[in-house]
Amino acid sequence: MKTRTVQRTALVPHTIDGRTEMVLDRYDVEIPAAPRDWDRIVLGTVTGAAAVIGVASIAWSTASIGDLLARATIAPAAYAAAGVFDLVWLSCMALEWLARYDADRAKLPRRAGYWALAIAMGAVGAHGWIADQLAIGLVGAAVSGLAKAMWTVVLRHHAKPLDSRTQQWVDKQRAAVGGRLAMVSVRRELTRAESAVAAEQAAIGAASPEGSGRSPETPEDEADAPDEEEQLTPVGPMTIADAVRTALSSGITSPEAVLRYVRKVADANAKEASVERYLRGLRKPA
């Protein structure tokens, strides 16, 4: 039986001058070595070979299709576009790899990969036909076909489809998490919309003296000024800066009134110094 050496540690007492401390003691032990996993080694080797074949396919297709497109445009643009052909079906293979545990989700990238492969092979064959080297064009097109076939076989070995019940459980969990994730974006959007509505309503109310049904020039309004922030209806969560800006745009100028409004709609524990700092910043001439 093959063994391998493993270093272990243990706390042991060690005494010097009558004082004992627990220290780490390192020692080696021999444990049985696991047999070599030839299946995994072979599969890893084949996967590496498929990667090399994919790179070679990209190089050949890019050179062939790039030469074809260079007849109608500049070489840099032609070869950049040529690289797209094989990269598309290889990207579809990557998506198929990510969906290797879900056969239904893997169908779309698999089909898209076959269509992209057919287009790439057709472009390589067209290059050979136009260059009066049809045989070379057909052989070159077979390079992409062989690369795709190789990757298809490798993916079939890596794929682990789930049974029907497990797949249904996974789908429900994915849907639940996806719903929560979607609601994060929806709530953020609603918050922005509500803040925009609040600011718009405040701006319209400040610009229209008739909006409150009272004339702001009357002494009665001046006497009621300390309570003017009560007329604003908070809509949606607001920051301290937004609340100060809304108060000023609504005609609330008293620092005490602004502070009361901020504590009402934004932060009940807002500090007076913070509100005054925002007021100074917003009142500075542009």
Side-chain angles (χ1 to χ4, degrees):
M1 177 185 296
K2 292 185 177 180
T3 61
R4 60 189 181 94
T5 303
V6 177
Q7 188 178 72
R8 301 267 176 92
T9 58
L11 285 174
V12 297
H14 186 64
T15 304
I16 296 180
D17 295 334
R19 299 188 60 178
T20 302
E21 299 287 350
M22 300 298 293
V23 297
L24 283 176
D25 181 35
R26 293 179 174 84
Y27 59 94
D28 295 334
V29 296
E30 297 291 330
I31 62 174
R36 191 179 297 274
D37 189 352
W38 287 105
D39 291 345
R40 186 175 182 83
I41 294 173
V42 171
L43 184 57
T45 303
V46 172
T47 303
V52 173
I53 293 173
V55 173
S57 173
I58 293 176
W60 175 262
S61 297
T62 302
S64 179
I65 302 174
D67 185 63
L68 174 65
L69 298 178
R71 299 169 185 265
T73 185
I74 59 175
Y79 284 95
V84 172
F85 286 81
D86 270 9
L87 285 175
V88 169
W89 69 259
L90 282 170
S91 298
C92 290
M93 295 292 293
L95 293 175
E96 186 179 350
W97 162 270
L98 294 176
R100 63 189 180 277
Y101 301 115
D102 191 338
D104 290 336
R105 297 182 69 186
K107 288 180 181 178
L108 180 59
R110 184 183 303 118
R111 292 173 181 173
Y114 282 126
W115 280 105
L117 173 66
I119 295 173
M121 293 177 66
V124 174
H127 173 256
W129 178 67
I130 291 176
D132 293 329
Q133 296 177 336
L134 183 58
I136 295 178
L138 294 176
V139 173
V143 172
S144 295
L146 290 173
K148 170 68 173 177
M150 184 66 180
W151 270 111
T152 300
V153 173
V154 170
L155 283 180
R156 291 293 176 87
H157 279 275
H158 282 285
K160 301 293 186 293
L162 304 177
D163 62 87
S164 177
R165 292 186 176 182
T166 304
Q167 187 63 61
Q168 292 179 51
W169 185 91
V170 171
D171 291 340
K172 289 185 177 181
Q173 294 295 314
R174 184 181 290 129
V177 175
R180 293 200 300 269
L181 182 61
M183 287 306 300
V184 172
S185 178
V186 170
R187 290 193 184 98
R188 187 182 295 117
E189 178 184 356
L190 292 176
T191 299
R192 289 196 302 265
E194 290 172 350
S195 298
V197 170
E200 187 72 17
Q201 289 177 343
I204 293 175
S208 176
E210 295 82 4
S212 61
R214 300 162 59 190
S215 173
E217 288 82 7
T218 60
E220 289 79 7
D221 285 335
E222 294 179 358
D224 294 338
D227 297 327
E228 59 187 348
E229 70 275 9
E230 301 298 331
Q231 302 171 7
L232 298 178
T233 302
V235 181
M238 301 176 68
T239 64
I240 295 178
D242 290 337
V244 173
R245 189 179 297 105
T246 301
L248 290 178
S249 65
S250 303
I252 302 176
T253 57
S254 171
E256 294 79 7
V258 173
L259 178 61
R260 288 196 298 272
Y261 178 72
V262 170
R263 288 177 175 174
K264 178 181 178 181
V265 302
D267 185 356
N269 299 317
K271 296 182 179 180
E272 183 177 355
S274 300
V275 174
E276 290 179 352
R277 183 172 64 255
Y278 285 117
L279 281 172
R280 287 195 300 270
L282 292 173
R283 286 174 175 173
K284 287 183 179 179

